[in-house]
Amino acid sequence: MADILLTYIVPVYNTAPYLDKCLKSLVNQGLASDEYEIIAVDDGSTDGSREVVESFAADHHQVRLFSQINAGVSAARNLALDHARGRYVQFVDSDDYLVDNTMGPLMRRAVEEDLDVLMFSFDWVDSEGRLIKVSRPRNEMPTTPTMSGKEFLDAYTLMQYVCWYVVKLRCLNERSIRFNTSLIACEDGELSPRFMLYAGRVAYCDMSPYCYVNRGDSAMNNTDNEHLRRRIFSQIDAAISIDRTIKEYESSIGEQVPASVSGLRNLYLYFSLTKSLMCGCVDEAVSRMRSAGLYPFPCIGPETNYLGAKWKVLHRLMMHPGLWSLLSKFRNMMK
């Protein structure tokens, strides 16, 4: 078997209207047919999504289809990782797609520079493919030279979404890095620091090959109160897991993590508190953070300047439990 350069990992759950476009985009990337594979994992779809993949696979030998009882996107991605044969992996959601002929040039750079991680931007588009915005790191960085993951995170933003990355499979397998299946939100941000902190060769290319489709009916837009509550506590659990990653790194390497990593942890905590006001679960959210030693939020060293003066003021305000209780009572009175 020829060396497979890239494995596309596509978790599939009830996205039949979008799947064909997604799969077609993966085979139109300027890579030879024996240089890549597509692993699609059907996560218990009930809308005919599996049949769409089977039909596409009948004409494309690169497609491998696995199935599981509905267990979530993280479990689907993990199953694919366990079967991946590519030197690199790329995560593509089944309702998204890639711009034609963009991954070929990016993969050439990854190979030529023997990168562990290659990053890029993505475009937010609507269901008709119309551009909403280009999503880039906060500091609008240009294409970078190769550097270590630690150097990159010292200089730039930690990009939490895995669709921003192509990652060498060996880097994930050597550290047994897999998605946390207990999370229903922020599973990407929980995973990213675990491979970025230890990556030896990292680069960013200012291209946008990935199109993220903003669907009004997606799980991200579900406003059911109980669903929101579950997402809030998943976000807190992701922050707790990132905190463990921080402690493990600092203990093993003997250096403080870059501010962008501890900043992401705190960002999840901030958003969890603000969202908890909407669900009336502020006390429970604060209690979970306290039990993990994360309230008041740790904010020391270079992280205090991560977002400048506004960050410091916001941090001081949000570290007073009485403020949250007052805001919660005020919101209940306004209902």
Side-chain angles (χ1 to χ4, degrees), residues 57-107:
D59 297 319
H60 298 86
H61 67 86
Q62 304 94 332
V63 180
R64 301 165 64 201
L65 174 62
F66 294 86
S67 296
Q68 64 181 24
I69 297 173
N70 182 246
V73 64
S74 292
R77 287 170 172 168
N78 288 345
L79 177 60
L81 283 170
D82 290 342
H83 290 87
R85 299 175 298 187
R87 195 184 319 172
Y88 292 89
V89 294
Q90 180 177 8
F91 301 98
V92 182
D93 289 345
S94 58
D95 49 356
D96 299 334
Y97 59 93
L98 302 180
V99 178
D100 287 353
N101 297 308
T102 51
M103 290 310 302
L106 287 169
M107 293 312 302

Side-chain angles (χ1 to χ4, degrees), residues 217-235:
D217 61 342
S218 69
M220 290 284 288
N221 293 309
N222 188 335
T223 57
D224 174 74
N225 195 69
E226 180 56 30
H227 179 77
L228 287 175
R229 185 179 179 280
R230 290 176 60 219
R231 290 184 66 85
I232 287 167
F233 290 104
S234 180
Q235 195 167 52

Side-chain angles (χ1 to χ4, degrees), residues 9-74:
I9 291 179
V10 186
V12 177
Y13 180 70
N14 289 349
T15 52
Y18 305 88
L19 253 176
D20 191 61
K21 182 173 185 176
C22 173
L23 295 172
K24 283 179 178 177
S25 76
L26 303 186
V27 303
N28 292 326
Q29 291 305 311
L31 297 172
S33 62
D34 61 353
E35 287 187 306
Y36 68 95
E37 65 176 353
I38 301 169
I39 298 184
V41 179
D42 177 49
D43 187 33
S45 296
T46 58
D47 71 339
S49 290
R50 177 185 173 87
E51 289 74 18
V52 173
V53 178
E54 289 175 334
S55 176
F56 191 85
D59 297 319
H60 298 86
H61 67 86
Q62 304 94 332
V63 180
R64 301 165 64 201
L65 174 62
F66 294 86
S67 296
Q68 64 181 24
I69 297 173
N70 182 246
V73 64
S74 292

Side-chain angles (χ1 to χ4, degrees), residues 10 38 44 79 86 104 127 150 183-184 188 216 224 238 262 265 294 298 324 328:
V10 186
I38 301 169
L79 177 60
S127 57
K150 169 68 161 52
L183 302 178
I184 67 164
D188 287 19
D224 174 74
S262 48
R265 174 200 60 199
L294 292 178
W324 290 103
S328 182

